[in-house]
């Protein structure tokens, strides 16, 4: 998969200055249709520092394009169903955290047996109703039955951008799996830092390019 440098986005402080009060709408995946959007998709389990960067990128990009920002997520998180992982937050807390980052819409897909049976093309047709002008993803995002869909497949239909991994000060990539392991080991302060909802020092992006275009 070829990668190309994407435009650099502004800061989150600039975003909040432009939109101090944002009304968030929460819909089931079958309900929302838009004429244009900037979209980010993921389980967002814990809405940790890496997830926050994706959501902020979509919100900033939506503002520059003049379209609504949309966060598309799942309940329960896929890993909770497929791997038995304990969710880091309840769905209510996840929605509250996502809402704090200022998207215009939150779409919650019920990750049940029927949803898991959908093909990658089914998923592409569904998000097509959101008319995404750009989609922001992590590089490990997969979708559709048997995880056959990937960013390259989305890039054959939409402008798809991959955000670099977010690392903590020690250089380790922030992930829900690592946070879960830290909690299980009783290292709650470290887990809290990776989640990024405390007043501790901010995370850094692992490289300073603001994201990459993904191409099929």
């Amino acid at each position: 998969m070829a990668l190309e440098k994407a435009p650099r986005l502004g800061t989150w402080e600039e975003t909040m200055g432009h939109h101090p009060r944002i009304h968030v709408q929460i819909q089931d995946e079958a309900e929302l249709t838009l004429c244009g959007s900037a979209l980010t998709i993921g389980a967002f389990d814990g809405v940790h520092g890496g997830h926050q960067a994706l959501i902020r990128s979509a919100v900033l990009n939506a503002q520059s394009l003049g379209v609504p920002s949309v966060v598309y997520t799942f309940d329960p998180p896929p890993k909770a169903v497929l791997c038995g992982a304990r969710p880091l937050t309840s769905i209510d807390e996840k929605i509250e955290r996502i809402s704090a980052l200022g998207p215009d819409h939150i779409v919650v897909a019920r990750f049940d047996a029927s949803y898991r049976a959908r093909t990658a093309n089914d998923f592409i047709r569904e998000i097509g109703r959101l008319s995404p002008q750009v989609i922001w993803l992590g590089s490990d995002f997969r979708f559709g039955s048997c995880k056959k869909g990937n960013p390259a497949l989305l890039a054959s239909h939409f402008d798809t951008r991959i955000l670099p991994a977010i690392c903590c000060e020690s250089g380790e990539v922030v992930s829900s799996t690592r946070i879960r392991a830290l909690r299980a080991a009783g290292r709650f302060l470290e887990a809290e830092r990776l989640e990024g909802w405390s007043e501790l020092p901010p995370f850094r992006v692992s490289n300073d390019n603001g994201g990459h275009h993904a191409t099929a």
Side-chain angles (χ1 to χ4, degrees), residues 47-212:
V47 198
H48 60 57
H51 301 149
Q52 292 165 37
L54 275 172
I55 295 168
R56 290 168 176 174
S57 296
V59 170
L60 287 163
N61 212 166
Q63 291 173 12
S64 68
L65 294 171
V67 296
S69 53
V70 181
V71 176
Y72 186 114
T73 192
F74 308 93
D75 179 50
K79 281 190 176 181
V81 176
L82 302 175
C83 307
R86 177 178 292 184
L88 293 174
T89 61
S90 67
I91 182 59
D92 289 340
E93 187 175 3
K94 177 161 75 168
I95 288 173
E96 183 178 358
R97 289 184 175 190
I98 292 172
S99 298
L101 299 171
D104 297 297
H105 302 275
I106 302 172
V107 174
V108 181
R110 182 66 182 170
F111 195 74
D112 55 17
S114 175
Y115 191 93
R116 299 198 304 273
R118 296 182 184 186
T119 67
N121 286 332
D122 290 336
F123 183 77
I124 288 169
R125 281 192 292 271
E126 179 193 326
I127 63 172
R129 293 201 301 269
L130 304 174
S131 304
Q133 294 185 29
V134 60
I135 299 176
W136 288 87
L137 300 171
S139 60
D140 59 350
F141 179 70
R142 299 293 182 270
F143 60 94
S145 60
C146 302
K147 299 183 180 180
K148 291 183 178 179
N150 58 26
L153 179 58
L154 276 181
S156 67
H157 297 269
F158 310 104
D159 179 1
T160 302
R161 306 190 192 189
I162 307 299
L163 196 72
I166 299 298
C167 297
C168 62
E169 289 184 330
S170 66
E172 294 184 82
V173 173
V174 178
S175 71
S176 299
T177 299
R178 175 158 173 73
I179 292 168
R180 202 173 286 112
L182 288 170
R183 284 189 180 183
R187 297 160 65 182
F188 298 109
L189 181 58
E190 292 173 74
E192 182 179 307
R193 286 205 55 181
L194 295 189
E195 288 188 76
W197 289 95
S198 69
E199 297 300 320
L200 294 170
F203 298 101
R204 60 179 176 82
V205 179
S206 61
N207 54 69
D208 197 25
N209 56 20
H212 296 90

